[in-house]
Short mmCIF file of all heavy atoms in Angstrom, two decimals:
data_model
loop_
_atom_site.label_atom_id
_atom_site.label_comp_id
_atom_site.label_asym_id
_atom_site.label_seq_id
_atom_site.Cartn_x
_atom_site.Cartn_y
_atom_site.Cartn_z
N ILE C 271 -1.50 61.27 -54.94
CA ILE C 271 -1.13 59.85 -55.12
C ILE C 271 -0.24 59.39 -53.98
O ILE C 271 -0.43 58.31 -53.40
CB ILE C 271 -0.41 59.65 -56.48
CG1 ILE C 271 -1.39 59.89 -57.62
CG2 ILE C 271 0.18 58.25 -56.58
CD1 ILE C 271 -0.73 60.09 -58.97
N ALA C 272 0.75 60.22 -53.63
CA ALA C 272 1.66 59.88 -52.53
C ALA C 272 0.90 59.74 -51.22
O ALA C 272 1.19 58.85 -50.40
CB ALA C 272 2.75 60.94 -52.41
N GLY C 273 -0.08 60.61 -51.02
CA GLY C 273 -0.88 60.55 -49.79
C GLY C 273 -1.70 59.27 -49.69
O GLY C 273 -1.79 58.67 -48.62
N VAL C 274 -2.29 58.86 -50.81
CA VAL C 274 -3.07 57.63 -50.82
C VAL C 274 -2.17 56.41 -50.61
O VAL C 274 -2.51 55.48 -49.86
CB VAL C 274 -3.86 57.49 -52.14
CG1 VAL C 274 -4.57 56.13 -52.21
CG2 VAL C 274 -4.88 58.62 -52.28
N LYS C 275 -1.00 56.43 -51.24
CA LYS C 275 -0.05 55.32 -51.06
C LYS C 275 0.41 55.22 -49.61
O LYS C 275 0.59 54.12 -49.08
CB LYS C 275 1.16 55.53 -51.98
CG LYS C 275 0.89 55.21 -53.44
CD LYS C 275 2.17 55.33 -54.27
CE LYS C 275 1.94 54.86 -55.70
NZ LYS C 275 3.17 54.91 -56.50
N ALA C 276 0.58 56.37 -48.97
CA ALA C 276 0.98 56.36 -47.56
C ALA C 276 -0.15 55.82 -46.68
O ALA C 276 0.08 55.10 -45.72
CB ALA C 276 1.38 57.77 -47.13
N LYS C 277 -1.39 56.18 -47.03
CA LYS C 277 -2.55 55.73 -46.26
C LYS C 277 -2.75 54.22 -46.40
O LYS C 277 -3.02 53.52 -45.43
CB LYS C 277 -3.80 56.47 -46.74
CG LYS C 277 -5.07 56.12 -45.98
CD LYS C 277 -6.25 56.95 -46.48
CE LYS C 277 -7.52 56.62 -45.73
NZ LYS C 277 -8.67 57.43 -46.22
N TYR C 278 -2.59 53.74 -47.64
CA TYR C 278 -2.77 52.31 -47.91
C TYR C 278 -1.41 51.67 -48.23
O TYR C 278 -1.24 51.02 -49.25
CB TYR C 278 -3.75 52.11 -49.07
CG TYR C 278 -5.11 52.72 -48.83
CD1 TYR C 278 -5.59 53.75 -49.64
CD2 TYR C 278 -5.93 52.28 -47.78
CE1 TYR C 278 -6.85 54.31 -49.43
CE2 TYR C 278 -7.17 52.84 -47.55
CZ TYR C 278 -7.63 53.85 -48.38
OH TYR C 278 -8.87 54.41 -48.15
N TRP C 279 -0.48 51.88 -47.33
CA TRP C 279 0.90 51.44 -47.55
C TRP C 279 1.03 49.92 -47.65
O TRP C 279 1.95 49.39 -48.27
CB TRP C 279 1.80 51.95 -46.41
CG TRP C 279 1.36 51.44 -45.06
CD1 TRP C 279 0.47 52.03 -44.23
CD2 TRP C 279 1.76 50.22 -44.43
NE1 TRP C 279 0.28 51.28 -43.09
CE2 TRP C 279 1.07 50.15 -43.18
CE3 TRP C 279 2.64 49.19 -44.76
CZ2 TRP C 279 1.24 49.09 -42.29
CZ3 TRP C 279 2.81 48.13 -43.87
CH2 TRP C 279 2.12 48.09 -42.66
N ASP C 280 0.08 49.21 -47.03
CA ASP C 280 0.14 47.75 -47.00
C ASP C 280 -0.68 47.10 -48.12
O ASP C 280 -0.86 45.88 -48.15
CB ASP C 280 -0.33 47.23 -45.65
CG ASP C 280 -1.74 47.70 -45.29
OD1 ASP C 280 -2.22 48.69 -45.90
OD2 ASP C 280 -2.36 47.09 -44.40
N ALA C 281 -1.19 47.91 -49.06
CA ALA C 281 -2.00 47.37 -50.16
C ALA C 281 -1.12 46.63 -51.16
O ALA C 281 0.09 46.89 -51.26
CB ALA C 281 -2.75 48.50 -50.86
N SER C 282 -1.74 45.75 -51.93
CA SER C 282 -1.00 45.02 -52.97
C SER C 282 -0.62 45.94 -54.12
O SER C 282 0.47 45.83 -54.68
CB SER C 282 -1.86 43.87 -53.50
OG SER C 282 -2.36 43.08 -52.45
N HIS C 283 -1.52 46.87 -54.46
CA HIS C 283 -1.29 47.78 -55.59
C HIS C 283 -1.99 49.11 -55.33
O HIS C 283 -3.08 49.13 -54.75
CB HIS C 283 -1.82 47.20 -56.91
CG HIS C 283 -1.33 45.81 -57.20
ND1 HIS C 283 -0.11 45.56 -57.79
CD2 HIS C 283 -1.92 44.60 -56.98
CE1 HIS C 283 0.04 44.25 -57.92
NE2 HIS C 283 -1.03 43.65 -57.42
N ASN C 284 -1.37 50.19 -55.76
CA ASN C 284 -2.00 51.51 -55.78
C ASN C 284 -1.86 52.04 -57.21
O ASN C 284 -0.91 52.74 -57.55
CB ASN C 284 -1.33 52.45 -54.77
CG ASN C 284 -1.81 52.22 -53.35
OD1 ASN C 284 -2.98 52.42 -53.05
ND2 ASN C 284 -0.91 51.77 -52.48
N VAL C 285 -2.80 51.66 -58.02
CA VAL C 285 -2.83 52.06 -59.43
C VAL C 285 -3.36 53.49 -59.53
O VAL C 285 -4.21 53.89 -58.73
CB VAL C 285 -3.77 51.09 -60.20
CG1 VAL C 285 -4.02 51.57 -61.62
CG2 VAL C 285 -3.19 49.69 -60.18
#
Side-chain angles (χ1 to χ4, degrees):
I271 293 165
V274 174
K275 285 185 173 182
K277 182 177 181 180
Y278 302 117
W279 60 271
D280 57 342
S282 308
H283 308 277
N284 281 295
V285 171

